[in-house]
Amino acid sequence: LTGTSREQRAFQYLLAHAIPGDPHHILQTFDQWCYHCEHLSCLGPDKGEWRIVERVLLDRAPLRVLELGTYCGYGTVLLAQGLPPGARLYTIEEDPRHAAVAEKVIRLAGFSEQTVELIVGPSEEVIPRLREKHGLMNANLVFMDHRKHRYLRDLQLLESHQLLAEGAIILADNILFPGAPHFLQYAKTCGKYHCKVHRTSLEY
């Protein structure tokens, strides 16, 4: 009835209740909205903030991170707040309406374009230009949280364009439900990766 999207309404809630420049509080406020107002397909605190993503960031301290599927910026803020000094995060969102919200969320959390670069466009078009147009030589960590049927295609695109650093980690969300079976089969059988499936709850 308001003529605004759920994502825009969530951002208005952030503006009213979150502390600008405080990524942790931005995420907590997002969680409050999703628990008590409207559901958004964000990572949520159970499988994101306190668990897998933060543990990988702490253990590996990646300097170059690529996120596929920005949505409204929750995962981006989570990743960015765990980056070591001098690191850079590239995040790709296909939907320009979601990207417009995400851009405001990322900047509200206090991250500049030097730390987080948001790229709008289909991943299959953006990935081949990451090196020449955006300066990403290779990624130490790739976080996949976009359309599940694109996981395998985009992983193979990253391989073919040599955008994965030696020892890179690929962290893929929701591979069991709604599921990315072809991606999972490839990762387990191609001989290039050591695989581990983390059992988690759905968001919120």
Side-chain angles (χ1 to χ4, degrees), residues 1-49:
L1 293 177
T2 64
T4 60
S5 67
R6 282 185 303 168
E7 294 77 19
Q8 290 171 319
R9 291 194 292 273
F11 177 69
Q12 293 301 319
Y13 185 82
L14 288 182
L15 281 179
H17 298 281
I19 301 171
D22 185 337
H24 184 73
H25 197 258
I26 295 284
L27 296 177
Q28 284 186 323
T29 308
F30 245 130
D31 292 334
Q32 288 298 311
W33 171 266
C34 294
Y35 277 126
H36 302 295
C37 300
E38 295 182 277
H39 178 270
L40 295 174
S41 297
C42 304
L43 277 177
D46 290 330
K47 70 178 173 184
E49 191 168 358

Side-chain angles (χ1 to χ4, degrees), residues 161-183:
H161 289 275
Q162 299 180 323
L163 287 167
L164 298 176
E166 185 176 353
I169 289 180
I170 314 296
L171 191 56
D173 195 25
N174 299 121
I175 58 168
L176 299 181
F177 181 84
H182 299 299
F183 166 86

Side-chain angles (χ1 to χ4, degrees), residues 120-152:
V120 183
S123 54
E124 71 270 20
E125 295 179 9
V126 174
I127 288 172
R129 339 189 276 263
L130 280 173
R131 181 174 286 116
E132 292 183 4
K133 188 171 181 180
H134 301 280
L136 175 61
M137 301 309 293
N138 53 47
N140 308 113
L141 170 64
V142 178
F143 180 53
M144 293 185 169
D145 195 17
H146 56 325
R147 296 185 185 278
K148 313 314 165 198
H149 67 273
R150 297 180 180 174
Y151 279 16
L152 176 57

Side-chain angles (χ1 to χ4, degrees), residues 26-172:
I26 295 284
L27 296 177
Q28 284 186 323
T29 308
F30 245 130
D31 292 334
Q32 288 298 311
W33 171 266
C34 294
Y35 277 126
H36 302 295
C37 300
E38 295 182 277
H39 178 270
L40 295 174
S41 297
C42 304
L43 277 177
D46 290 330
K47 70 178 173 184
E49 191 168 358
W50 303 114
R51 297 182 65 189
I52 301 164
V53 174
E54 283 195 337
R55 190 165 67 242
V56 168
L57 291 168
L58 183 63
D59 291 346
R60 301 301 291 264
L63 290 175
R64 298 173 303 280
V65 178
L66 175 64
E67 179 185 33
L68 303 179
T70 316
Y71 188 38
C72 48
Y74 184 105
T76 313
V77 172
L78 177 63
L79 289 164
Q81 74 167 356
L83 293 177
R88 186 165 172 79
L89 168 60
Y90 302 80
T91 182
I92 301 172
E93 173 55 47
E94 180 175 11
D95 189 324
R97 296 166 300 176
H98 293 164
V101 173
E103 181 81 40
K104 291 183 282 191
V105 170
I106 293 163
R107 306 312 167 207
L108 183 67
F111 299 109
S112 69
E113 293 184 4
Q114 284 67 46
T115 301
V116 179
E117 181 178 351
L118 173 59
I119 306 166
V120 183
S123 54
E124 71 270 20
E125 295 179 9
V126 174
I127 288 172
R129 339 189 276 263
L130 280 173
R131 181 174 286 116
E132 292 183 4
K133 188 171 181 180
H134 301 280
L136 175 61
M137 301 309 293
N138 53 47
N140 308 113
L141 170 64
V142 178
F143 180 53
M144 293 185 169
D145 195 17
H146 56 325
R147 296 185 185 278
K148 313 314 165 198
H149 67 273
R150 297 180 180 174
Y151 279 16
L152 176 57
R153 180 201 67 190
D154 287 351
L155 176 60
Q156 291 174 331
L157 269 177
L158 291 169
E159 291 174 348
S160 65
H161 289 275
Q162 299 180 323
L163 287 167
L164 298 176
E166 185 176 353
I169 289 180
I170 314 296
L171 191 56

